[in-house]
């Protein structure tokens, strides 16, 4: 995985979550006024490794990836 592919996957996560909030009024109401943190991880069967996360448009890398 590269940083570019991780950013693409993180964008997909954000898009999916946005679609979920459009489809569910209850979810949209629940997150109103809350800070959302988007996390991307790699599940390897016996656990997971954090790749990156984004909170308030601030991206934090948790793994050292190739550019």
């Amino acid at each position: 995985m590269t940083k570019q592919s991780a950013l693409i996957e993180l964008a997909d996560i954000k898009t999916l979550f946005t679609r979920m909030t459009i489809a569910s009024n209850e979810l949209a109401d629940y997150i109103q006024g809350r800070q959302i943190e988007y996390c991307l991880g790699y599940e390897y069967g016996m656990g997971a490794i954090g790749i990156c996360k984004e909170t308030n448009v601030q991206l934090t890398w948790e793994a050292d990836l190739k550019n």
Side-chain angles (χ1 to χ4, degrees):
M1 175 174 277
T2 65
K3 285 186 177 184
Q4 186 62 34
S5 64
L7 291 174
I8 290 168
E9 288 195 37
L10 187 63
D12 289 345
I13 291 168
K14 292 168 61 176
T15 299
L16 179 59
F17 187 75
T18 298
R19 289 179 182 166
M20 290 169 56
T21 61
I22 291 169
S24 171
N25 290 333
E26 292 85 5
L27 178 59
D29 290 344
Y30 179 77
I31 66 167
Q32 195 70 272
R34 296 179 188 262
Q35 180 175 307
I36 305 301
E37 181 175 85
Y38 300 96
C39 301
L40 176 66
Y42 174 72
E43 162 65 58
Y44 59 89
M46 295 179 65
I49 299 170
I51 303 295
C52 62
K53 62 184 176 183
E54 182 181 315
T55 308
N56 289 334
V57 194
Q58 180 68 38
L59 183 67
T60 304
W61 290 100
E62 298 177 318
D64 187 24
L65 301 177
K66 298 177 187 176
N67 289 328

